[in-house]
Amino acid sequence: MEKFVNLWSQALAAAVAPTDSSITISDASALVFASPTDYYRAVVFQSGTSHHEILKITAKSGNLLTVTRALEGTSALAFNPGDSIEIRLSAGSLDNFAQLDAPEVVFQGNLLVQGQSLQISSQIQTADTQVLLNDGEVGPGVTNQRAGLLFARGSASSYGLHFDENNDTARLGEFCGVVAVTGLSGSFAVGEPLSGATSGALGRYIGLSGSNLWYIPFGSVAFTSGETVTGANSSATATTTGASTLADDTQALTTRADEGPFLLDGSLAQWDGVNKRLVAVVGIKDEDNMASDSDADLPTQQSVKAYADAKEDRIVMASGTNSGITANVGDYFGGTPAGVSLMGGATITGPAGNFAYDGNWIWPVHPGWYEINLKVQLDFGSVTVADAPLKAFLVNGSSGVVAESFSRSTAPLYGATLALTYLRYFDGTSATKVGVSIFGHRYGAGSNTTISTNWQMVIKRG
């Protein structure tokens, strides 16, 4: 920072060469350097001539001054003891001052505002990546309980993003205080601090809407009815006609360790009260095929539905109705039945994708264990069968019967229902294809009988 001393002039105590970077004077006690960036601008006059040099005094040690030579178009000269050095206002000094009527004001150093508020009616742009609020706090937290950004919305509640020291959370949403007032004296300034004479409540003025005074509360203390509210800058006053209320419709963005969890970058996160940060608890994945097979992450609703929809194609149901299967007269209780029919020649079909079909045969195209459920209903028509052995067969395409269900009636009946559940391994090729056969045999009536069937086969991935 450039500094000044009124009417300061000293004589050189020693000769100065054009190449010297320090000079000695008779008394430097009036020059004070409170900061390493402090400096004084001075002019040295060459006795007996009209020559001079402008230089900058940047430090001192006793009466020895450290200087920067030949400023503002002047040249480094030789000086003799007794030549005069004076602190004067130069064009360079004036150029450093902000021109308030200029289209652009450039500050080389920091701008420090000592007042209660700084009002700017245009955009604020910064090249920094961080804005520091509540600078200079000396307590263990935000003394005024809240610090953040507030967006004025006229007569509507203000919208804010702030940190609330009361519950250790960052909050976002509508938030402000309101109190009914009367007897306004003076004009409150937007942004100035407010205080209650009786309650000690504190806040920052937003505006008036009718008889309602809107403000940003500092802390949880409310204004009480009948007390005087005073503006710290304007000295304006008003008397409350009721207690103040808070319009708080904010939501927490971060929480203490006993609250949460929250969604952060695709992961469930919880507030770490010790380290004051959000930490991931469990990840969330959007994988339609669940390929990662994670035991720590959760799937999205969409991926669960997509996976379930795909799994439905691993289930197939084939069914049909057949007639003309002949039950022979005679007795049969074992061996391979000679008259087995393959469902009367029915063709098995189903959805494409995970199953293949070949006329009366079906097989999964993905190797693995599958559960097969077969249900067959047989109808003997109007013939009463005194005692009929009935069988349903699950038939392998290359090696015959792989499973069967047997039923032997002990009472007169007109038909029977057979059920078969079987778990088997398919290798994904037609070598393990399966089909359905039944065998019905009636005896005691003295003639052959035609059997009708309704059947259903369901295959699903184990």
Side-chain angles (χ1 to χ4, degrees):
M1 176 186 293
E2 184 168 0
K3 304 184 69 175
F4 301 90
V5 179
N6 289 330
L7 303 175
W8 186 87
S9 177
Q10 291 290 319
L12 298 183
V16 177
T19 57
D20 288 343
S21 59
S22 61
I23 60 177
T24 302
I25 62 175
S26 54
D27 183 9
S29 59
L31 304 182
V32 178
F33 295 87
S35 167
T37 59
D38 288 348
Y39 67 91
Y40 297 86
R41 198 179 300 261
V43 182
V44 185
F45 295 95
Q46 198 176 62
S47 298
T49 72
S50 60
H51 299 151
H52 66 277
E53 178 185 348
I54 299 177
L55 50 77
K56 185 185 294 184
I57 304 171
T58 59
K60 76 173 185 177
S61 177
N63 293 327
L64 180 66
L65 307 180
T66 301
V67 295
T68 302
R69 306 285 301 273
L71 300 181
E72 301 184 37
T74 61
S75 300
L77 303 175
F79 297 98
N80 297 315
D83 285 350
S84 176
I85 178 171
E86 301 177 8
I87 292 178
R88 289 193 177 188
L89 191 65
S90 70
S93 299
L94 295 175
D95 286 342
N96 283 337
F97 294 128
Q99 306 298 316
L100 298 183
D101 60 345
E104 183 176 89
V105 178
V106 178
F107 293 94
Q108 299 294 343
N110 298 324
L111 175 62
L112 180 62
V113 179
Q114 300 286 3
Q116 296 292 331
S117 64
L118 173 65
Q119 297 185 29
I120 300 175
S121 58
S122 59
Q123 292 185 354
I124 299 177
Q125 300 182 13
T126 176
D128 203 345
T129 58
Q130 181 171 278
V131 177
L132 177 63
L133 303 179
N134 202 45
D135 187 27
E137 176 67 67
V138 296
V142 180
T143 301
N144 289 328
Q145 303 305 311
R146 292 181 178 88
L149 303 175
L150 192 68
F151 310 98
R153 302 169 63 218
S155 59
S157 300
S158 298
Y159 201 89
L161 171 62
H162 65 269
F163 177 79
D164 190 338
E165 190 68 51
N166 291 311
N167 51 28
D168 198 22
T169 61
R171 307 188 69 85
L172 178 68
E174 293 184 344
F175 176 80
C176 61
V178 60
V179 61
V181 296
T182 188
L184 177 65
S185 175
S187 298
F188 291 106
V190 175
E192 73 170 321
L194 303 174
S195 61
T198 305
S199 65
L202 300 174
R204 191 175 296 278
Y205 179 77
I206 297 177
L208 278 172
S209 177
S211 61
N212 290 326
L213 185 151
W214 295 83
Y215 67 99
I216 306 170
F218 291 164
S220 57
V221 178
F223 292 111
T224 58
S225 180
E227 73 172 321
T228 300
V229 177
T230 304
N233 300 338
S234 65
S235 298
T237 61
T239 302
T240 61
T241 59
S244 61
T245 59
L246 292 180
D248 189 347
D249 189 20
T250 59
Q251 294 183 351
L253 300 180
T254 60
T255 72
R256 293 180 295 208
D258 57 349
E259 298 180 5
F262 297 90
L263 191 62
L264 176 68
D265 294 333
S267 296
L268 286 177
Q270 192 161 344
W271 182 246
D272 182 348
V274 177
N275 298 306
K276 304 297 183 184
R277 61 188 180 92
L278 281 174
V279 293
V281 177
V282 62
I284 297 177
K285 290 187 178 295
D286 186 21
E287 294 179 337
D288 292 354
N289 60 359
M290 307 287 183
S292 62
D293 195 23
S294 171
D295 61 356
D297 297 322
L298 297 177
T300 64
Q301 184 183 46
Q302 184 275 333
S303 63
V304 171
K305 182 179 184 302
Y307 184 75
D309 289 345
K311 288 290 286 183
E312 286 183 2
D313 198 26
R314 298 290 179 97
I315 301 174
V316 66
M317 181 178 72
S319 63
T321 300
N322 303 93
S323 61
I325 299 175
T326 301
N328 300 315
V329 175
D331 195 1
Y332 180 82
F333 285 101
T336 301
V340 171
S341 285
L342 183 60
M343 298 311 298
T347 299
I348 300 176
T349 59
N354 291 311
F355 291 88
Y357 309 91
D358 180 12
N360 303 123
W361 309 97
I362 182 173
W363 65 94
V365 297
H366 300 290
W369 287 93
Y370 289 77
E371 181 183 287
I372 305 172
N373 292 282
L374 176 63
K375 184 178 181 180
V376 181
Q377 183 180 10
L378 300 99
D379 186 2
F380 289 87
S382 61
V383 178
T384 299
V385 180
D387 195 2
L390 306 170
K391 287 190 178 183
F393 298 94
L394 183 66
V395 183
N396 190 298
S398 59
S399 58
V401 176
V402 294
E404 64 180 80
S405 175
F406 174 77
S407 174
R408 185 171 187 272
S409 171
T410 57
L413 51 81
Y414 293 98
T417 299
L418 308 178
L420 171 65
T421 299
Y422 183 70
L423 182 66
R424 74 165 306 181
Y425 182 82
F426 288 87
D427 64 9
T429 71
S430 60
T432 51
K433 64 185 180 182
V434 293
V436 179
S437 290
I438 65 166
F439 173 74
H441 190 99
R442 67 170 295 276
Y443 64 96
S447 62
N448 294 339
T449 299
T450 299
I451 303 172
S452 298
T453 65
N454 288 294
W455 61 276
Q456 182 185 83
M457 178 170 61
V458 177
I459 302 177
K460 60 182 178 181
R461 187 71 177 262

